[in-house]
Amino acid sequence: EVQLVESGGGLVKPGGSLRLSCAASGFTFSSYSMNWVRQAPGKGLEWVSFISSTGAYIYYADSLKGRFTISRDNAKNSLYLQMSSLRAEDTAVYYCARDVDRVGMFGMDVWGQGTTVTVSS
Amino acid sequence: DVQLTQSPSFLSASVGDRVTVTCRASQGVSNYLAWYQQKPGKAPKLLISAASTLQSGVPSRFSGSGSGTEFTLTISSLQPEDFAIYYCQQLNSYPPTFGQGTRLEIK
C-alpha cells in the first residue's frame, strides 16, 4: 500500500524549533518529488515547500523567510521539515504530499494523515 | 504570486444536483491546474490534474475543464459522499498556490 506517515508535531513555544518527518512506503520514494503543505485551524491549504527527487531542487513559500528547511533521505525513504523561529501563525496541520510527476506540475496524489504543530506559550 | 479565486465560496445543493465550481487565476496558468476534495479531519484527495485529467478511481461524475485563467469543476449528479470542501491549485509557477476553497453542503 502506498503510504505517507508524518510524525514530529507537537506543542512548542514561540521562537522554538521542531523537526517533522514523513515516512514513505509502498512506492519508490527516490523517484518522486515531495512537498509539505499546511493548513491552519479552520483555514485553507497553504503550500510550504518542494524538494525534487534527488534533492537538487528546493523551493519554499516566501512567507517562511528562511525559517524552514526541507530535506530528504532516499536511503531511509524519509522526508523532513526542520522548522525554527516558530511563530503562532505557524500553528497548523502539516501534510507531506507526493507529486504526480517529477517536476511538480500535475498535483499531489498521495498525502499523509498530517501532523499537528501548535505554537503557543 | 498567482492568486486563485474560487466561486462560490459556499454552495448548498441536493443529492442528484449538477454543480459547478469556478476557479479564476490572476494570470494565465496554461492547463497546470489541479482540483482536490477535502473532508473534515482528512487529508486532501487529488481529483483532477492538468485541468481535465481524472485521477484513477475518481468517479466519472467529476469533470474539469478550462485553460489559461478560468477553470471549472463539475459534479454531474451529487452523491452524499461528495459533500466536502473543494480546492483548486495552480502549478504553473512557484509558489503553487491554492484557491480559498468552496464548501459544498447538503441543502
PDB file of all heavy atoms in Angstrom, chain A residues 37 39 43-45 47 50 59 62 95 100 104-109 111-112, chain B residues 1 32 36 38 42-44 46 49-50 55 87 89 91-92 94-96 98:
ATOM      1  N   VAL A  37       2.713  20.711   2.839  1.00  0.00           N
ATOM      2  CA  VAL A  37       1.563  21.610   2.723  1.00  0.00           C
ATOM      3  C   VAL A  37       0.976  21.739   4.117  1.00  0.00           C
ATOM      4  O   VAL A  37       0.894  20.749   4.846  1.00  0.00           O
ATOM      5  CB  VAL A  37       0.512  21.043   1.746  1.00  0.00           C
ATOM      6  CG1 VAL A  37      -0.731  21.944   1.705  1.00  0.00           C
ATOM      7  CG2 VAL A  37       1.099  20.890   0.345  1.00  0.00           C
ATOM      8  N   GLN A  39      -2.126  23.516   6.873  1.00  0.00           N
ATOM      9  CA  GLN A  39      -3.495  24.018   6.972  1.00  0.00           C
ATOM     10  C   GLN A  39      -3.730  24.505   8.388  1.00  0.00           C
ATOM     11  O   GLN A  39      -3.785  23.702   9.330  1.00  0.00           O
ATOM     12  CB  GLN A  39      -4.490  22.922   6.610  1.00  0.00           C
ATOM     13  CG  GLN A  39      -5.929  23.391   6.506  1.00  0.00           C
ATOM     14  CD  GLN A  39      -6.820  22.340   5.869  1.00  0.00           C
ATOM     15  OE1 GLN A  39      -6.650  21.137   6.080  1.00  0.00           O
ATOM     16  NE2 GLN A  39      -7.793  22.774   5.082  1.00  0.00           N
ATOM     17  N   LYS A  43      -8.795  26.972   8.288  1.00  0.00           N
ATOM     18  CA  LYS A  43      -8.373  27.720   7.100  1.00  0.00           C
ATOM     19  C   LYS A  43      -8.120  26.794   5.911  1.00  0.00           C
ATOM     20  O   LYS A  43      -8.274  25.582   6.007  1.00  0.00           O
ATOM     21  CB  LYS A  43      -7.087  28.516   7.413  1.00  0.00           C
ATOM     22  CG  LYS A  43      -7.236  29.493   8.571  1.00  0.00           C
ATOM     23  CD  LYS A  43      -8.254  30.569   8.274  1.00  0.00           C
ATOM     24  CE  LYS A  43      -8.298  31.603   9.397  1.00  0.00           C
ATOM     25  NZ  LYS A  43      -9.343  32.645   9.148  1.00  0.00           N
ATOM     26  N   GLY A  44      -7.704  27.400   4.813  1.00  0.00           N
ATOM     27  CA  GLY A  44      -7.435  26.643   3.602  1.00  0.00           C
ATOM     28  C   GLY A  44      -6.034  26.062   3.572  1.00  0.00           C
ATOM     29  O   GLY A  44      -5.289  26.122   4.547  1.00  0.00           O
ATOM     30  N   LEU A  45      -5.691  25.505   2.418  1.00  0.00           N
ATOM     31  CA  LEU A  45      -4.402  24.851   2.224  1.00  0.00           C
ATOM     32  C   LEU A  45      -3.339  25.868   1.827  1.00  0.00           C
ATOM     33  O   LEU A  45      -3.603  26.775   1.035  1.00  0.00           O
ATOM     34  CB  LEU A  45      -4.523  23.781   1.134  1.00  0.00           C
ATOM     35  CG  LEU A  45      -5.541  22.688   1.408  1.00  0.00           C
ATOM     36  CD1 LEU A  45      -5.748  21.836   0.164  1.00  0.00           C
ATOM     37  CD2 LEU A  45      -5.098  21.823   2.576  1.00  0.00           C
ATOM     38  N   TRP A  47       0.698  25.800   0.508  1.00  0.00           N
ATOM     39  CA  TRP A  47       1.922  25.090   0.135  1.00  0.00           C
ATOM     40  C   TRP A  47       3.098  25.680   0.904  1.00  0.00           C
ATOM     41  O   TRP A  47       3.211  26.904   1.035  1.00  0.00           O
ATOM     42  CB  TRP A  47       2.140  25.200  -1.362  1.00  0.00           C
ATOM     43  CG  TRP A  47       3.452  24.646  -1.812  1.00  0.00           C
ATOM     44  CD1 TRP A  47       3.768  23.343  -2.048  1.00  0.00           C
ATOM     45  CD2 TRP A  47       4.644  25.391  -2.055  1.00  0.00           C
ATOM     46  NE1 TRP A  47       5.081  23.241  -2.434  1.00  0.00           N
ATOM     47  CE2 TRP A  47       5.646  24.483  -2.445  1.00  0.00           C
ATOM     48  CE3 TRP A  47       4.970  26.746  -1.998  1.00  0.00           C
ATOM     49  CZ2 TRP A  47       6.927  24.877  -2.777  1.00  0.00           C
ATOM     50  CZ3 TRP A  47       6.252  27.155  -2.308  1.00  0.00           C
ATOM     51  CH2 TRP A  47       7.226  26.217  -2.695  1.00  0.00           C
ATOM     52  N   PHE A  50       8.901  22.415  -1.511  1.00  0.00           N
ATOM     53  CA  PHE A  50       9.071  21.363  -2.515  1.00  0.00           C
ATOM     54  C   PHE A  50      10.518  20.914  -2.526  1.00  0.00           C
ATOM     55  O   PHE A  50      11.436  21.728  -2.368  1.00  0.00           O
ATOM     56  CB  PHE A  50       8.700  21.919  -3.887  1.00  0.00           C
ATOM     57  CG  PHE A  50       9.192  21.108  -5.069  1.00  0.00           C
ATOM     58  CD1 PHE A  50       8.373  20.163  -5.663  1.00  0.00           C
ATOM     59  CD2 PHE A  50      10.465  21.305  -5.604  1.00  0.00           C
ATOM     60  CE1 PHE A  50       8.805  19.432  -6.769  1.00  0.00           C
ATOM     61  CE2 PHE A  50      10.911  20.574  -6.698  1.00  0.00           C
ATOM     62  CZ  PHE A  50      10.072  19.646  -7.275  1.00  0.00           C
ATOM     63  N   TYR A  59      12.334  24.506  -3.153  1.00  0.00           N
ATOM     64  CA  TYR A  59      11.621  25.773  -3.162  1.00  0.00           C
ATOM     65  C   TYR A  59      10.851  25.916  -1.854  1.00  0.00           C
ATOM     66  O   TYR A  59      10.411  24.929  -1.267  1.00  0.00           O
ATOM     67  CB  TYR A  59      10.644  25.846  -4.330  1.00  0.00           C
ATOM     68  CG  TYR A  59      11.274  25.672  -5.687  1.00  0.00           C
ATOM     69  CD1 TYR A  59      11.183  24.454  -6.361  1.00  0.00           C
ATOM     70  CD2 TYR A  59      11.987  26.693  -6.293  1.00  0.00           C
ATOM     71  CE1 TYR A  59      11.765  24.268  -7.606  1.00  0.00           C
ATOM     72  CE2 TYR A  59      12.572  26.519  -7.536  1.00  0.00           C
ATOM     73  CZ  TYR A  59      12.461  25.311  -8.180  1.00  0.00           C
ATOM     74  OH  TYR A  59      13.056  25.133  -9.415  1.00  0.00           O
ATOM     75  N   ASP A  62       7.425  32.089   0.191  1.00  0.00           N
ATOM     76  CA  ASP A  62       8.108  33.328   0.582  1.00  0.00           C
ATOM     77  C   ASP A  62       7.857  33.687   2.043  1.00  0.00           C
ATOM     78  O   ASP A  62       8.707  34.271   2.717  1.00  0.00           O
ATOM     79  CB  ASP A  62       7.644  34.484  -0.308  1.00  0.00           C
ATOM     80  CG  ASP A  62       8.148  34.342  -1.735  1.00  0.00           C
ATOM     81  OD1 ASP A  62       9.101  33.569  -1.953  1.00  0.00           O
ATOM     82  OD2 ASP A  62       7.581  34.996  -2.632  1.00  0.00           O
ATOM     83  N   TYR A  95       1.057  18.506   6.292  1.00  0.00           N
ATOM     84  CA  TYR A  95       0.947  17.301   5.476  1.00  0.00           C
ATOM     85  C   TYR A  95       2.188  17.160   4.598  1.00  0.00           C
ATOM     86  O   TYR A  95       2.660  18.152   4.020  1.00  0.00           O
ATOM     87  CB  TYR A  95      -0.251  17.386   4.533  1.00  0.00           C
ATOM     88  CG  TYR A  95      -1.606  17.449   5.177  1.00  0.00           C
ATOM     89  CD1 TYR A  95      -2.279  18.671   5.299  1.00  0.00           C
ATOM     90  CD2 TYR A  95      -2.245  16.299   5.623  1.00  0.00           C
ATOM     91  CE1 TYR A  95      -3.553  18.729   5.863  1.00  0.00           C
ATOM     92  CE2 TYR A  95      -3.515  16.351   6.186  1.00  0.00           C
ATOM     93  CZ  TYR A  95      -4.153  17.567   6.303  1.00  0.00           C
ATOM     94  OH  TYR A  95      -5.412  17.616   6.850  1.00  0.00           O
ATOM     95  N   VAL A 100       2.607  14.013  -8.448  1.00  0.00           N
ATOM     96  CA  VAL A 100       2.251  13.069  -9.508  1.00  0.00           C
ATOM     97  C   VAL A 100       3.439  12.868 -10.444  1.00  0.00           C
ATOM     98  O   VAL A 100       3.721  11.753 -10.883  1.00  0.00           O
ATOM     99  CB  VAL A 100       1.035  13.589 -10.301  1.00  0.00           C
ATOM    100  CG1 VAL A 100       0.803  12.749 -11.552  1.00  0.00           C
ATOM    101  CG2 VAL A 100      -0.211  13.592  -9.419  1.00  0.00           C
ATOM    102  N   GLY A 104       6.529  18.449 -10.448  1.00  0.00           N
ATOM    103  CA  GLY A 104       5.529  19.088  -9.611  1.00  0.00           C
ATOM    104  C   GLY A 104       4.553  19.972 -10.353  1.00  0.00           C
ATOM    105  O   GLY A 104       4.153  21.009  -9.833  1.00  0.00           O
ATOM    106  N   MET A 105       4.122  19.547 -11.527  1.00  0.00           N
ATOM    107  CA  MET A 105       3.216  20.382 -12.309  1.00  0.00           C
ATOM    108  C   MET A 105       1.826  19.782 -12.490  1.00  0.00           C
ATOM    109  O   MET A 105       0.986  20.375 -13.155  1.00  0.00           O
ATOM    110  CB  MET A 105       3.829  20.688 -13.675  1.00  0.00           C
ATOM    111  CG  MET A 105       5.139  21.439 -13.580  1.00  0.00           C
ATOM    112  SD  MET A 105       5.716  22.088 -15.135  1.00  0.00           S
ATOM    113  CE  MET A 105       4.684  23.550 -15.302  1.00  0.00           C
ATOM    114  N   PHE A 106       1.579  18.623 -11.879  1.00  0.00           N
ATOM    115  CA  PHE A 106       0.304  17.950 -12.094  1.00  0.00           C
ATOM    116  C   PHE A 106      -0.404  17.582 -10.804  1.00  0.00           C
ATOM    117  O   PHE A 106      -1.320  16.777 -10.817  1.00  0.00           O
ATOM    118  CB  PHE A 106       0.519  16.713 -12.973  1.00  0.00           C
ATOM    119  CG  PHE A 106       0.951  17.080 -14.358  1.00  0.00           C
ATOM    120  CD1 PHE A 106       2.289  17.056 -14.707  1.00  0.00           C
ATOM    121  CD2 PHE A 106       0.030  17.471 -15.313  1.00  0.00           C
ATOM    122  CE1 PHE A 106       2.706  17.423 -15.985  1.00  0.00           C
ATOM    123  CE2 PHE A 106       0.432  17.838 -16.594  1.00  0.00           C
ATOM    124  CZ  PHE A 106       1.771  17.812 -16.919  1.00  0.00           C
ATOM    125  N   GLY A 107       0.012  18.186  -9.703  1.00  0.00           N
ATOM    126  CA  GLY A 107      -0.696  17.962  -8.466  1.00  0.00           C
ATOM    127  C   GLY A 107      -0.034  16.938  -7.581  1.00  0.00           C
ATOM    128  O   GLY A 107       1.000  16.358  -7.915  1.00  0.00           O
ATOM    129  N   MET A 108      -0.671  16.721  -6.421  1.00  0.00           N
ATOM    130  CA  MET A 108      -0.120  15.830  -5.402  1.00  0.00           C
ATOM    131  C   MET A 108      -1.097  14.705  -5.167  1.00  0.00           C
ATOM    132  O   MET A 108      -2.238  14.945  -4.728  1.00  0.00           O
ATOM    133  CB  MET A 108       0.111  16.616  -4.115  1.00  0.00           C
ATOM    134  CG  MET A 108       1.006  17.830  -4.325  1.00  0.00           C
ATOM    135  SD  MET A 108       1.025  18.892  -2.877  1.00  0.00           S
ATOM    136  CE  MET A 108       1.403  20.468  -3.641  1.00  0.00           C
ATOM    137  N   ASP A 109      -0.668  13.487  -5.460  1.00  0.00           N
ATOM    138  CA  ASP A 109      -1.626  12.392  -5.488  1.00  0.00           C
ATOM    139  C   ASP A 109      -1.618  11.489  -4.262  1.00  0.00           C
ATOM    140  O   ASP A 109      -2.513  10.676  -4.087  1.00  0.00           O
ATOM    141  CB  ASP A 109      -1.428  11.537  -6.749  1.00  0.00           C
ATOM    142  CG  ASP A 109      -0.078  10.839  -6.790  1.00  0.00           C
ATOM    143  OD1 ASP A 109       0.832  11.247  -6.034  1.00  0.00           O
ATOM    144  OD2 ASP A 109       0.056   9.901  -7.580  1.00  0.00           O
ATOM    145  N   TRP A 111      -1.071  11.716   0.008  1.00  0.00           N
ATOM    146  CA  TRP A 111      -0.927  12.614   1.154  1.00  0.00           C
ATOM    147  C   TRP A 111      -0.833  11.786   2.434  1.00  0.00           C
ATOM    148  O   TRP A 111      -1.455  10.725   2.544  1.00  0.00           O
ATOM    149  CB  TRP A 111      -2.139  13.536   1.268  1.00  0.00           C
ATOM    150  CG  TRP A 111      -2.288  14.516   0.150  1.00  0.00           C
ATOM    151  CD1 TRP A 111      -2.538  14.243  -1.171  1.00  0.00           C
ATOM    152  CD2 TRP A 111      -2.222  15.941   0.248  1.00  0.00           C
ATOM    153  NE1 TRP A 111      -2.626  15.411  -1.906  1.00  0.00           N
ATOM    154  CE2 TRP A 111      -2.442  16.471  -1.051  1.00  0.00           C
ATOM    155  CE3 TRP A 111      -2.009  16.832   1.296  1.00  0.00           C
ATOM    156  CZ2 TRP A 111      -2.444  17.843  -1.311  1.00  0.00           C
ATOM    157  CZ3 TRP A 111      -2.022  18.195   1.038  1.00  0.00           C
ATOM    158  CH2 TRP A 111      -2.233  18.688  -0.254  1.00  0.00           C
ATOM    159  N   GLY A 112      -0.096  12.288   3.384  1.00  0.00           N
ATOM    160  CA  GLY A 112      -0.106  11.686   4.701  1.00  0.00           C
ATOM    161  C   GLY A 112      -1.346  12.113   5.468  1.00  0.00           C
ATOM    162  O   GLY A 112      -2.172  12.879   4.971  1.00  0.00           O
TER     163      GLY A 112
ATOM    164  N   ASP B   1       2.947  36.356  -7.022  1.00  0.00           N
ATOM    165  CA  ASP B   1       2.286  35.061  -6.885  1.00  0.00           C
ATOM    166  C   ASP B   1       0.961  35.063  -7.654  1.00  0.00           C
ATOM    167  O   ASP B   1       0.298  36.081  -7.771  1.00  0.00           O
ATOM    168  CB  ASP B   1       1.987  34.760  -5.408  1.00  0.00           C
ATOM    169  CG  ASP B   1       3.230  34.645  -4.556  1.00  0.00           C
ATOM    170  OD1 ASP B   1       4.351  34.838  -5.094  1.00  0.00           O
ATOM    171  OD2 ASP B   1       3.086  34.378  -3.350  1.00  0.00           O
ATOM    172  N   TYR B  32      -2.082  23.924 -16.107  1.00  0.00           N
ATOM    173  CA  TYR B  32      -1.461  23.359 -14.908  1.00  0.00           C
ATOM    174  C   TYR B  32      -2.301  23.694 -13.681  1.00  0.00           C
ATOM    175  O   TYR B  32      -1.909  24.496 -12.808  1.00  0.00           O
ATOM    176  CB  TYR B  32      -0.032  23.856 -14.770  1.00  0.00           C
ATOM    177  CG  TYR B  32       0.857  23.395 -15.895  1.00  0.00           C
ATOM    178  CD1 TYR B  32       1.405  24.310 -16.790  1.00  0.00           C
ATOM    179  CD2 TYR B  32       1.109  22.037 -16.092  1.00  0.00           C
ATOM    180  CE1 TYR B  32       2.202  23.889 -17.837  1.00  0.00           C
ATOM    181  CE2 TYR B  32       1.907  21.602 -17.145  1.00  0.00           C
ATOM    182  CZ  TYR B  32       2.443  22.534 -18.007  1.00  0.00           C
ATOM    183  OH  TYR B  32       3.224  22.110 -19.056  1.00  0.00           O
ATOM    184  N   TYR B  36      -8.836  19.384  -5.787  1.00  0.00           N
ATOM    185  CA  TYR B  36      -8.793  18.490  -4.645  1.00  0.00           C
ATOM    186  C   TYR B  36     -10.126  18.515  -3.913  1.00  0.00           C
ATOM    187  O   TYR B  36     -10.827  19.538  -3.900  1.00  0.00           O
ATOM    188  CB  TYR B  36      -7.712  18.907  -3.645  1.00  0.00           C
ATOM    189  CG  TYR B  36      -6.313  18.906  -4.194  1.00  0.00           C
ATOM    190  CD1 TYR B  36      -5.815  20.022  -4.860  1.00  0.00           C
ATOM    191  CD2 TYR B  36      -5.488  17.794  -4.042  1.00  0.00           C
ATOM    192  CE1 TYR B  36      -4.524  20.026  -5.364  1.00  0.00           C
ATOM    193  CE2 TYR B  36      -4.198  17.795  -4.544  1.00  0.00           C
ATOM    194  CZ  TYR B  36      -3.730  18.918  -5.205  1.00  0.00           C
ATOM    195  OH  TYR B  36      -2.454  18.918  -5.715  1.00  0.00           O
ATOM    196  N   GLN B  38     -11.574  17.746   0.027  1.00  0.00           N
ATOM    197  CA  GLN B  38     -11.169  17.509   1.412  1.00  0.00           C
ATOM    198  C   GLN B  38     -12.398  17.356   2.297  1.00  0.00           C
ATOM    199  O   GLN B  38     -13.277  18.222   2.308  1.00  0.00           O
ATOM    200  CB  GLN B  38     -10.276  18.633   1.943  1.00  0.00           C
ATOM    201  CG  GLN B  38      -9.692  18.316   3.320  1.00  0.00           C
ATOM    202  CD  GLN B  38      -8.787  19.393   3.869  1.00  0.00           C
ATOM    203  OE1 GLN B  38      -8.988  20.575   3.614  1.00  0.00           O
ATOM    204  NE2 GLN B  38      -7.780  18.974   4.639  1.00  0.00           N
ATOM    205  N   LYS B  42      -9.650  15.043   7.351  1.00  0.00           N
ATOM    206  CA  LYS B  42      -8.923  14.183   6.415  1.00  0.00           C
ATOM    207  C   LYS B  42      -7.976  15.009   5.551  1.00  0.00           C
ATOM    208  O   LYS B  42      -8.128  16.217   5.394  1.00  0.00           O
ATOM    209  CB  LYS B  42      -9.903  13.433   5.512  1.00  0.00           C
ATOM    210  CG  LYS B  42     -10.861  12.531   6.259  1.00  0.00           C
ATOM    211  CD  LYS B  42     -10.153  11.394   6.955  1.00  0.00           C
ATOM    212  CE  LYS B  42     -11.139  10.407   7.565  1.00  0.00           C
ATOM    213  NZ  LYS B  42     -10.444   9.304   8.287  1.00  0.00           N
ATOM    214  N   ALA B  43      -7.005  14.324   4.963  1.00  0.00           N
ATOM    215  CA  ALA B  43      -6.113  14.968   4.015  1.00  0.00           C
ATOM    216  C   ALA B  43      -6.854  15.220   2.701  1.00  0.00           C
ATOM    217  O   ALA B  43      -7.825  14.520   2.379  1.00  0.00           O
ATOM    218  CB  ALA B  43      -4.900  14.083   3.758  1.00  0.00           C
ATOM    219  N   PRO B  44      -6.405  16.197   1.945  1.00  0.00           N
ATOM    220  CA  PRO B  44      -6.994  16.415   0.618  1.00  0.00           C
ATOM    221  C   PRO B  44      -6.777  15.203  -0.273  1.00  0.00           C
ATOM    222  O   PRO B  44      -5.825  14.437  -0.113  1.00  0.00           O
ATOM    223  CB  PRO B  44      -6.216  17.628   0.087  1.00  0.00           C
ATOM    224  CG  PRO B  44      -5.698  18.311   1.301  1.00  0.00           C
ATOM    225  CD  PRO B  44      -5.397  17.208   2.274  1.00  0.00           C
ATOM    226  N   LEU B  46      -6.599  14.233  -4.414  1.00  0.00           N
ATOM    227  CA  LEU B  46      -6.495  14.760  -5.775  1.00  0.00           C
ATOM    228  C   LEU B  46      -7.579  14.145  -6.651  1.00  0.00           C
ATOM    229  O   LEU B  46      -7.670  12.922  -6.777  1.00  0.00           O
ATOM    230  CB  LEU B  46      -5.116  14.445  -6.342  1.00  0.00           C
ATOM    231  CG  LEU B  46      -4.842  14.902  -7.772  1.00  0.00           C
ATOM    232  CD1 LEU B  46      -4.893  16.423  -7.890  1.00  0.00           C
ATOM    233  CD2 LEU B  46      -3.491  14.370  -8.264  1.00  0.00           C
ATOM    234  N   SER B  49      -6.101  16.472 -12.430  1.00  0.00           N
ATOM    235  CA  SER B  49      -4.858  17.165 -12.718  1.00  0.00           C
ATOM    236  C   SER B  49      -4.895  17.662 -14.156  1.00  0.00           C
ATOM    237  O   SER B  49      -5.757  17.252 -14.948  1.00  0.00           O
ATOM    238  CB  SER B  49      -3.654  16.242 -12.503  1.00  0.00           C
ATOM    239  OG  SER B  49      -3.737  15.121 -13.362  1.00  0.00           O
ATOM    240  N   ALA B  50      -3.974  18.549 -14.463  1.00  0.00           N
ATOM    241  CA  ALA B  50      -3.902  19.122 -15.806  1.00  0.00           C
ATOM    242  C   ALA B  50      -5.266  19.607 -16.290  1.00  0.00           C
ATOM    243  O   ALA B  50      -5.634  19.408 -17.448  1.00  0.00           O
ATOM    244  CB  ALA B  50      -3.317  18.102 -16.787  1.00  0.00           C
ATOM    245  N   GLN B  55      -8.231  11.598 -12.031  1.00  0.00           N
ATOM    246  CA  GLN B  55      -7.336  10.648 -11.390  1.00  0.00           C
ATOM    247  C   GLN B  55      -7.981   9.272 -11.334  1.00  0.00           C
ATOM    248  O   GLN B  55      -9.210   9.135 -11.284  1.00  0.00           O
ATOM    249  CB  GLN B  55      -6.997  11.116  -9.980  1.00  0.00           C
ATOM    250  CG  GLN B  55      -6.080  12.320  -9.926  1.00  0.00           C
ATOM    251  CD  GLN B  55      -4.730  12.021 -10.556  1.00  0.00           C
ATOM    252  OE1 GLN B  55      -4.415  12.473 -11.659  1.00  0.00           O
ATOM    253  NE2 GLN B  55      -3.925  11.269  -9.851  1.00  0.00           N
ATOM    254  N   TYR B  87     -10.841  22.450  -3.448  1.00  0.00           N
ATOM    255  CA  TYR B  87      -9.782  23.442  -3.669  1.00  0.00           C
ATOM    256  C   TYR B  87      -9.206  23.285  -5.070  1.00  0.00           C
ATOM    257  O   TYR B  87      -8.983  22.160  -5.530  1.00  0.00           O
ATOM    258  CB  TYR B  87      -8.625  23.258  -2.679  1.00  0.00           C
ATOM    259  CG  TYR B  87      -8.959  23.511  -1.246  1.00  0.00           C
ATOM    260  CD1 TYR B  87      -9.332  22.471  -0.402  1.00  0.00           C
ATOM    261  CD2 TYR B  87      -8.870  24.799  -0.699  1.00  0.00           C
ATOM    262  CE1 TYR B  87      -9.620  22.694   0.936  1.00  0.00           C
ATOM    263  CE2 TYR B  87      -9.159  25.028   0.638  1.00  0.00           C
ATOM    264  CZ  TYR B  87      -9.536  23.978   1.443  1.00  0.00           C
ATOM    265  OH  TYR B  87      -9.823  24.202   2.765  1.00  0.00           O
ATOM    266  N   GLN B  89      -5.732  24.350  -7.362  1.00  0.00           N
ATOM    267  CA  GLN B  89      -4.312  24.668  -7.156  1.00  0.00           C
ATOM    268  C   GLN B  89      -3.658  24.865  -8.510  1.00  0.00           C
ATOM    269  O   GLN B  89      -3.820  24.025  -9.403  1.00  0.00           O
ATOM    270  CB  GLN B  89      -3.591  23.551  -6.408  1.00  0.00           C
ATOM    271  CG  GLN B  89      -2.119  23.864  -6.108  1.00  0.00           C
ATOM    272  CD  GLN B  89      -1.306  22.645  -5.737  1.00  0.00           C
ATOM    273  OE1 GLN B  89      -1.649  21.517  -6.089  1.00  0.00           O
ATOM    274  NE2 GLN B  89      -0.214  22.849  -5.027  1.00  0.00           N
ATOM    275  N   LEU B  91      -0.180  25.039 -10.685  1.00  0.00           N
ATOM    276  CA  LEU B  91       1.176  24.505 -10.612  1.00  0.00           C
ATOM    277  C   LEU B  91       2.038  25.024 -11.765  1.00  0.00           C
ATOM    278  O   LEU B  91       3.055  24.419 -12.098  1.00  0.00           O
ATOM    279  CB  LEU B  91       1.120  22.973 -10.606  1.00  0.00           C
ATOM    280  CG  LEU B  91       0.297  22.427  -9.437  1.00  0.00           C
ATOM    281  CD1 LEU B  91      -0.967  21.735  -9.949  1.00  0.00           C
ATOM    282  CD2 LEU B  91       1.104  21.501  -8.589  1.00  0.00           C
ATOM    283  N   ASN B  92       1.608  26.126 -12.350  1.00  0.00           N
ATOM    284  CA  ASN B  92       2.351  26.673 -13.482  1.00  0.00           C
ATOM    285  C   ASN B  92       3.593  27.434 -13.043  1.00  0.00           C
ATOM    286  O   ASN B  92       4.584  27.495 -13.782  1.00  0.00           O
ATOM    287  CB  ASN B  92       1.444  27.611 -14.276  1.00  0.00           C
ATOM    288  CG  ASN B  92       2.115  28.133 -15.525  1.00  0.00           C
ATOM    289  OD1 ASN B  92       2.432  27.379 -16.442  1.00  0.00           O
ATOM    290  ND2 ASN B  92       2.334  29.447 -15.570  1.00  0.00           N
ATOM    291  N   TYR B  94       5.962  28.940  -9.337  1.00  0.00           N
ATOM    292  CA  TYR B  94       6.119  28.929  -7.882  1.00  0.00           C
ATOM    293  C   TYR B  94       5.799  30.301  -7.301  1.00  0.00           C
ATOM    294  O   TYR B  94       6.132  31.322  -7.895  1.00  0.00           O
ATOM    295  CB  TYR B  94       7.551  28.509  -7.523  1.00  0.00           C
ATOM    296  CG  TYR B  94       7.650  27.014  -7.475  1.00  0.00           C
ATOM    297  CD1 TYR B  94       7.950  26.283  -8.618  1.00  0.00           C
ATOM    298  CD2 TYR B  94       7.371  26.314  -6.304  1.00  0.00           C
ATOM    299  CE1 TYR B  94       7.986  24.898  -8.588  1.00  0.00           C
ATOM    300  CE2 TYR B  94       7.408  24.933  -6.263  1.00  0.00           C
ATOM    301  CZ  TYR B  94       7.716  24.236  -7.407  1.00  0.00           C
ATOM    302  OH  TYR B  94       7.745  22.861  -7.384  1.00  0.00           O
ATOM    303  N   PRO B  95       5.149  30.347  -6.127  1.00  0.00           N
ATOM    304  CA  PRO B  95       4.675  29.185  -5.363  1.00  0.00           C
ATOM    305  C   PRO B  95       3.388  28.594  -5.943  1.00  0.00           C
ATOM    306  O   PRO B  95       2.562  29.319  -6.495  1.00  0.00           O
ATOM    307  CB  PRO B  95       4.409  29.788  -3.981  1.00  0.00           C
ATOM    308  CG  PRO B  95       4.005  31.193  -4.272  1.00  0.00           C
ATOM    309  CD  PRO B  95       4.844  31.622  -5.451  1.00  0.00           C
ATOM    310  N   PRO B  96       3.195  27.296  -5.823  1.00  0.00           N
ATOM    311  CA  PRO B  96       1.988  26.639  -6.324  1.00  0.00           C
ATOM    312  C   PRO B  96       0.796  26.929  -5.423  1.00  0.00           C
ATOM    313  O   PRO B  96       0.510  26.187  -4.495  1.00  0.00           O
ATOM    314  CB  PRO B  96       2.360  25.155  -6.329  1.00  0.00           C
ATOM    315  CG  PRO B  96       3.411  25.025  -5.292  1.00  0.00           C
ATOM    316  CD  PRO B  96       4.170  26.319  -5.269  1.00  0.00           C
ATOM    317  N   PHE B  98      -3.049  27.782  -3.838  1.00  0.00           N
ATOM    318  CA  PHE B  98      -4.373  27.180  -3.767  1.00  0.00           C
ATOM    319  C   PHE B  98      -5.442  28.273  -3.786  1.00  0.00           C
ATOM    320  O   PHE B  98      -5.203  29.399  -3.325  1.00  0.00           O
ATOM    321  CB  PHE B  98      -4.543  26.398  -2.456  1.00  0.00           C
ATOM    322  CG  PHE B  98      -3.752  25.123  -2.373  1.00  0.00           C
ATOM    323  CD1 PHE B  98      -2.475  25.125  -1.827  1.00  0.00           C
ATOM    324  CD2 PHE B  98      -4.287  23.920  -2.812  1.00  0.00           C
ATOM    325  CE1 PHE B  98      -1.745  23.952  -1.725  1.00  0.00           C
ATOM    326  CE2 PHE B  98      -3.565  22.738  -2.718  1.00  0.00           C
ATOM    327  CZ  PHE B  98      -2.298  22.753  -2.173  1.00  0.00           C
TER     328      PHE B  98
END
